[in-house]
Amino acid sequence: MLLILKCSAFSSLRTSRVVRYGSAPVVVAAALGLRHSLELWFGSGLPPYITFYPAVMAVAVLAGFGPGAVATALSGVIAAYWIILPIGQFAIGSPIDGVALVIFIGMGMIMSLIAERYQCYHRKVAAYEREAALHSTKDTLRESENRFHTLFNTLMEGFCTLEVLFDANGRPVDYRFIEVNSAFEKQTGLRDAQGKRARELVPDHDPHWFEIFGKISLRSEPARFESEVRALGRWYDVSAYPVGGPDSRKVAVLFNDISDIKRAKEAAQQSELQLRSVLEHSRDVFYRRNVQTGRFVYISQSVQTLVGYTPDELMMLDSATLQKMIHPDDISAMWAALACLEKTGQAEAEYRQKTKDGEYRWLSNHMVIIRDGDGQSLYRDGSIRDITAQKSATAQIHKVQQRLEALMNAVPVGVSFSDDVTCQNVTGNPAVLEQFDVGAAENLSASALDSAAPGRQVQFFRDGCLISDSDLPLQRAVAENKMIPAMELEVRLPSGRIWYAQASGAPVRDAHGKVIAGIAVTVDITQRIHAEQALKAAKDEAERANHAKSRFLAAASHDLRQPLSAISIYADLLKSTARPSDQKIVANMQQCIDSLSTLLRDLLDLSKLEANVITPSITDFSVAELFSGLATSYQPESIAKGLRLHWVPTRLTGRTDVVLLRRLLGNLLKNALRYTERGGALIGCKRRQGKIWVEVWDTGIGIPTERTSEIFEEFKQLGDGSRNNGSGLGLAVVAKTAALLGLEIQVRSWPGRGSSFAIELPLGESNLVVSSAQPEPDFRPLRVALVEDNQMVRDALVKGLQRLGHQVLGTATKAALLAELEPFAPDIVVSDYRLTEGDTGVEVITAVRAQLGTEVPAILITGDTDPNLLRSIEDHRITVLHKPIDLETLQAYLEDLTYLPEEERMTA
């Protein structure tokens, strides 16, 4: 019972259904584990439900009837399967065990129901006690509140209790009005504020008020201050007190509106400051001078800043002394101004006056005459202003204008100006006059009203189209009031001369930003345009030469490989018929053919790489499929030498040109097998720092460490006789292919033990599915459809395939094959790529598949190693073999492509 009382709080929390029901399997699992632990101590004779009864009771008490029922059911299932004999079956061997199980389940349900009922009762009792306590305090609280509100509303000052609101970072961001008195609305102008937030009532409320009240609520210290609420336009005298301690975050505020007092003070201060500013900071000197004596009667304090003399010092001087302070060259101008003053009553004079330091300053003196009732002059009043800076600026502007004019005359760039916004009259510097073949007095404007004006006779073209005067940079800049970026124009003059200009325009604005004129800049780019045209012509010619080179390499590759292919096949046929004494001659001949084929292939590949006619096609691909294909291609060669060729399976995806990478790795494998006499070769990959390193290992003769950098040179073979079997170009092709793909090559070698070549490869993003390997196919005779336009090669292939036991239909053209196709029904199609009559092997295979209505396996034999061509062929699901080929390799591909599972072979 004590456990129920302590845990009832858990169920009263009404935790989520997932937590409550999730506790059942957890507790049951713990009970099962406890039972296993007890069995280790006390043996297997423990009562079946010794740990499950407490588990069910705990779940029922903690989580209620539903989870308790679930725990009961789970415990019964576990006991029936793992504890009650026979163990491991949902069967009960003894009636007593069955009755015990039923009793357990019944007791579990009863305990769950009792726990649920007790929890409901406990919650009702607790609710009743809370309600009784609430009623007992309401009356006392109501009486206290009445007394408080009576005092609260008699205050003349505004009063409120507010709760400061903080954000997640503990920064005060708002406050809520909990209580306000009747004077609150009068003091603030805010109605119905109680229960509302400050930002709700005043959206642009000053944030520093939140900070002030936030500090008071947290520090529990009262404060008094004066501050402005800008959003309300009022000043307040505020007394604030924390309420209820820091955790309550409440503040009581007593405040009074002092806005009128503040405004009166500010107005008086402003008036005083303005008057003081006029007296102390005026740039002008105000004076009154007696006409009869010529002496100053009054002069302002600012005169000391102007000329260095104090007002008292100047008032001591007579007229003659004052006149000597004026620059001699300006005396006549001063007398003329005084004569005008006497005649008109006002005048202005500009002159230089010597300061106390002996320097001269330019002054502007505005004077008026003060007369008496009889018209007699009494005083000369005036104001004097220092215009030294103005005079200096004027002189500087004149100097700049002279320099600008000289610059415009010297600069080789054409600059033209419009007199107004109409752009009907345009002048320019000598460079632009020379560009348009006009004189200095002639109008350059293409918008001139006079149709005979030189500017109207010029034609402007942009991108080959004649444009109007309104589209020119000068006119557009004025019309659109913005900078017009440089545009290239073709200019055709009346004289017939054509030149090219890069022109831009800009508006000229007054002080108010209004457009008053325009300016344009024209740069003669005729030489650049002619150079670009010549460069384009040269580029086009180079591209034509490059295409011609590509066609030559393709033709050379095809034509040179044709006789080699025929010779290779005839050598295979000769090997099977030659006498034993002649087998060595045949072997030497085959070795010569292989060497010539390798040399030809490497020469053509190197030529293409150096001619830059190969463009990589970057895609994601399965590294495992690449390794599998390479192993299949070079397995015959490794078997012939008695070597082992292995590849390490991987699930990685690479990203580069897979065709070029396959050829690169093929060269490395061929080298590995060529220079290895015992052991074999291995190809695999490692993943490091987001990249793949493909590695080719061998157990060959190795390379001296000091000579590893030489092996990638063209026609470079190391000195020992074992390295004289190749062309000396294979690794040069590897290096250039890697450079084309942007891949790094690393070499490690141990003389006498082997070598390792590692190729860096970017990691692909796709998860590609690797096709599973097929079982080793068995030999079966095939019907082979063969298209080869070269008679010599076709005869060799026909004889070789027939010698292997196949039935062959050999033709020279696509049309000839299609005419005999129906009765023959080939198992596979073998075709050369380049055929007569403009056909290709891809077209032959496509036509055969279309006529037969099935995806017939196909092999394309070609001497072309262009990667772009190979990629396009692979898109048609066609296997590619390169010339020259031998019968053993061809037979391996025939068996692989026409492989049938055992059940299909039986049917066939």
Side-chain angles (χ1 to χ4, degrees), residues 568-641:
S568 178
I569 295 172
Y570 282 128
D572 285 342
L573 293 174
L574 184 61
K575 181 179 180 180
S576 62
T577 59
R579 292 174 299 181
S581 59
D582 296 330
Q583 287 295 329
K584 185 174 182 180
I585 298 175
V586 175
N588 291 338
M589 183 172 65
Q590 287 181 322
Q591 185 176 358
C592 292
I593 294 171
D594 291 341
S595 298
L596 183 58
S597 174
T598 300
L599 178 60
L600 175 61
R601 182 197 63 200
D602 292 344
L603 278 171
L604 291 172
D605 287 348
L606 192 62
S607 299
K608 290 182 179 182
L609 289 168
E610 291 182 341
N612 293 324
V613 298
I614 299 177
T615 302
S617 176
I618 307 301
T619 58
D620 290 346
F621 62 91
S622 166
V623 178
E625 289 189 354
L626 173 64
F627 288 174
S628 177
L630 288 168
T632 301
S633 299
Y634 291 95
Q635 196 69 46
E637 184 175 346
S638 66
I639 294 173
K641 290 191 66 175

Side-chain angles (χ1 to χ4, degrees), residues 720-732:
D720 58 333
S722 59
R723 289 196 173 273
N724 293 328
N725 298 326
S727 64
L729 294 174
L731 291 181

Side-chain angles (χ1 to χ4, degrees), residues 6 43 206 262 264 292 308 325 518 772 892-893:
K6 290 184 177 180
D206 303 331
K262 279 289 185 180
Q292 300 301 324
M325 298 171 67
S772 58
Y893 275 92

Side-chain angles (χ1 to χ4, degrees), residues 761-889:
L761 182 63
L763 187 65
E765 296 180 0
S766 302
N767 292 322
L768 304 178
V769 178
V770 180
S771 59
S772 58
Q774 294 182 350
E776 187 71 22
D778 295 332
F779 172 78
R780 66 186 182 95
L782 302 171
R783 294 184 297 277
V784 181
L786 172 67
V787 181
E788 170 60 70
D789 58 342
N790 187 288
Q791 180 70 42
M792 176 179 57
V793 178
R794 185 172 66 251
D795 289 345
L797 283 171
V798 169
K799 291 179 181 178
L801 290 171
Q802 288 175 344
R803 178 68 59 85
L804 293 173
H806 302 297
Q807 184 180 352
V808 184
L809 171 61
T811 65
T813 64
K814 178 179 73 175
L817 177 63
L818 295 178
E820 303 180 43
L821 191 64
E822 292 293 345
F824 187 70
D827 297 310
I828 190 167
V829 180
V830 179
S831 176
D832 187 19
Y833 178 71
R834 298 182 184 275
L835 301 171
T836 56
E837 302 180 2
D839 291 332
T840 66
V842 175
E843 294 171 352
V844 170
I845 294 167
T846 303
V848 170
R849 289 173 173 174
Q851 184 165 327
L852 295 179
T854 182
E855 190 84 359
V856 181
I859 296 175
L860 197 65
I861 302 175
T862 178
D864 200 329
T865 58
D866 181 12
N868 295 324
L869 173 62
L870 300 182
R871 279 188 286 270
S872 66
I873 294 173
E874 289 182 351
D875 291 341
H876 292 82
R877 296 182 300 280
I878 299 173
T879 300
V880 179
L881 295 181
H882 292 286
K883 296 179 181 179
I885 60 172
D886 55 67
L887 290 178
E888 185 178 357
T889 301

Side-chain angles (χ1 to χ4, degrees), residues 484-691:
I484 303 301
M487 61 176 69
E488 293 186 359
L489 302 173
E490 179 185 337
V491 185
R492 298 183 182 179
L493 302 179
S495 63
R497 183 170 69 89
I498 298 176
W499 62 286
Y500 297 91
Q502 187 179 65
S504 58
V508 178
R509 305 181 183 92
D510 61 13
H512 304 289
K514 182 181 178 182
V515 179
I516 57 175
I519 184 172
V521 176
T522 54
V523 180
D524 189 341
I525 59 171
T526 305
Q527 291 184 352
R528 195 198 80 190
I529 294 296
H530 289 166
E532 289 177 354
Q533 291 172 348
L535 180 62
K536 184 178 183 303
K539 182 180 178 182
D540 293 342
E541 180 63 27
E543 288 180 352
R544 286 193 295 271
N546 195 35
H547 291 320
K549 184 191 301 180
S550 299
R551 291 193 299 271
F552 167 76
L553 289 173
S557 177
H558 179 269
D559 295 344
L560 291 173
R561 290 175 189 264
Q562 287 285 55
L564 273 177
S565 184
I567 294 172
S568 178
I569 295 172
Y570 282 128
D572 285 342
L573 293 174
L574 184 61
K575 181 179 180 180
S576 62
T577 59
R579 292 174 299 181
S581 59
D582 296 330
Q583 287 295 329
K584 185 174 182 180
I585 298 175
V586 175
N588 291 338
M589 183 172 65
Q590 287 181 322
Q591 185 176 358
C592 292
I593 294 171
D594 291 341
S595 298
L596 183 58
S597 174
T598 300
L599 178 60
L600 175 61
R601 182 197 63 200
D602 292 344
L603 278 171
L604 291 172
D605 287 348
L606 192 62
S607 299
K608 290 182 179 182
L609 289 168
E610 291 182 341
N612 293 324
V613 298
I614 299 177
T615 302
S617 176
I618 307 301
T619 58
D620 290 346
F621 62 91
S622 166
V623 178
E625 289 189 354
L626 173 64
F627 288 174
S628 177
L630 288 168
T632 301
S633 299
Y634 291 95
Q635 196 69 46
E637 184 175 346
S638 66
I639 294 173
K641 290 191 66 175
L643 302 174
R644 296 184 301 277
L645 176 58
H646 297 295
W647 63 279
V648 180
T650 178
R651 296 182 180 180
L652 293 177
T653 301
R655 181 170 181 78
T656 188
D657 187 315
V658 67
V659 175
L660 293 175
L661 181 62
R662 183 185 295 116
R663 287 164 56 184
L664 184 153
L665 294 175
N667 276 354
L668 292 178
L669 278 175
K670 184 177 285 293
N671 254 27
L673 296 174
R674 177 178 297 147
Y675 299 119
T676 299
E677 298 300 330
R678 293 187 307 275
L682 172 70
I683 181 169
C685 65
K686 297 179 181 178
R687 180 175 177 176
R688 293 200 302 266
Q689 298 179 348
K691 293 185 178 181

